[in-house]
Amino acid sequence: MGSLRNPVGPLPSSIYWRRRVIMLSAVVVLALVITWIVTSGGGGGKKGADGSNGKNPVSTITPGPSGSGPAISQAPGGRNESGGSGSGNGSGSSAGASSGAGDGSSDGSGDGSSSGSAGSGGSSAGSGNDVTSGSGGTAASLPGSSTLPNCTAGAVSLTLKSLHNSYSPEQTPTFELTAKNTSSSDCKIDLGPKNAVLTITAASADDSYWSSADCPKAAASRWYRVPSGSSITYTLKWDRKPSAPQCATPPAGSAGPGTYLLQATTPGYAKAQASFVLSAD
């Protein structure tokens, strides 16, 4: 033991200590290299495995046909928002890198895609069956932990439209936000009321009259698969009631006659806009 603490030899003891430190370091490095080789070799096969949540198509989503239908060249109130196209009578503009048009096939008739009525906070947030695939079937939501890659503006375009240009007092204003995937692979997008924020503002006002982010009844984040070469459409039915931030009590009454601006703001995408009119009779 004395020779371990006090090296014996013709050279100074500091040289022997350096040699011991170098040998010990080499052993530690070799052990780390062996451990890395064993662990990386055992887990490599998992990288090629499909994620259980996002790789295989959701059974309720089927690719839809490409958008068709005449574009509306003049929006209510003199606004030129002819970017949105697709079946239906509403006007709107598309957002994103491509000018994809919404292919939702809704024509204003009841199709089970109601977004839910407003509660005491005056905010409609969705009832769970308000997102449909391009073929008209209900699109199932995905867990936030899904391994499916997030959609980007380069692959998916957003189009917003009002189902009709004008609504009489007995009609329910209905709006559609369509996400169209023009890329060669599926991706997922968050259409939750606090991520894809929809606002309604009177044309004569600066502040919004209603916002989906004020008091959502559903989850704030809602992920959906957007199949390659197809689209999904989020439908919102508005009860004309105002909303207030953080679920505060909104003002009494309903939206009066006039022209309104509809806007969708989603992180990573350009703002999508449309307009509509609430008629007096």
Side-chain angles (χ1 to χ4, degrees):
M1 294 297 292
S3 62
L4 291 176
R5 291 193 296 268
N6 301 304
V8 177
L11 300 176
S13 61
S14 61
I15 294 178
Y16 293 104
W17 277 111
R18 291 192 191 100
R19 290 178 179 176
R20 291 177 181 179
V21 171
I22 293 172
M23 291 181 64
L24 181 59
S25 300
V27 171
V28 172
V29 171
L30 181 60
L32 292 175
V33 171
I34 293 175
T35 301
W36 178 78
I37 292 175
V38 171
T39 56
S40 63
K46 295 181 180 179
K47 295 181 180 179
D50 292 338
S52 60
N53 292 329
K55 190 65 177 179
N56 298 316
V58 180
S59 59
T60 56
I61 299 181
T62 55
S66 60
S68 62
I72 296 179
S73 59
Q74 185 66 32
R79 299 182 60 87
N80 185 8
E81 297 169 340
S82 59
S85 64
S87 58
N89 298 323
S91 63
S93 64
S94 62
S98 62
S99 59
D103 357 61
S105 59
S106 174
D107 59 359
S109 60
D111 58 0
S113 60
S114 170
S115 64
S117 60
S120 60
S123 173
S124 302
S127 60
N129 64 342
D130 51 3
V131 177
T132 58
S133 64
S135 61
T138 300
S141 60
L142 297 174
S145 59
S146 169
T147 58
L148 201 65
N150 293 344
C151 298
T152 63
V156 171
S157 61
L158 295 180
T159 302
L160 181 65
K161 74 173 184 178
S162 172
L163 206 60
H164 299 289
N165 288 338
S166 180
Y167 297 91
S168 60
E170 65 272 10
Q171 289 180 305
T172 300
T174 304
F175 318 115
E176 292 181 345
L177 177 64
T178 297
K180 184 174 183 180
N181 186 355
T182 57
S183 71
S184 58
S185 58
D186 296 2
C187 61
K188 71 178 186 292
I189 190 170
D190 184 2
L191 295 181
K194 287 199 172 184
N195 188 70
V197 179
L198 298 180
T199 58
I200 298 173
T201 306
S204 57
D206 294 327
D207 298 328
S208 63
Y209 186 78
W210 179 90
S211 172
S212 66
D214 280 347
C215 190
K217 300 300 180 183
S221 182
R222 297 171 63 189
W223 292 91
Y224 294 90
R225 175 192 296 270
V226 187
S228 171
S230 189
S231 63
I232 61 172
T233 298
Y234 167 58
T235 301
L236 172 72
K237 292 187 176 182
W238 182 45
D239 60 3
R240 305 186 185 216
K241 300 292 185 181
S243 66
Q246 301 180 350
C247 294
T249 302
S254 300
T259 300
Y260 290 81
L261 172 67
L262 175 66
Q263 180 170 280
T265 305
T266 307
Y269 297 86
K271 292 180 180 179
Q273 294 182 331
S275 62
F276 62 95
V277 170
L278 298 182
S279 62
D281 49 28

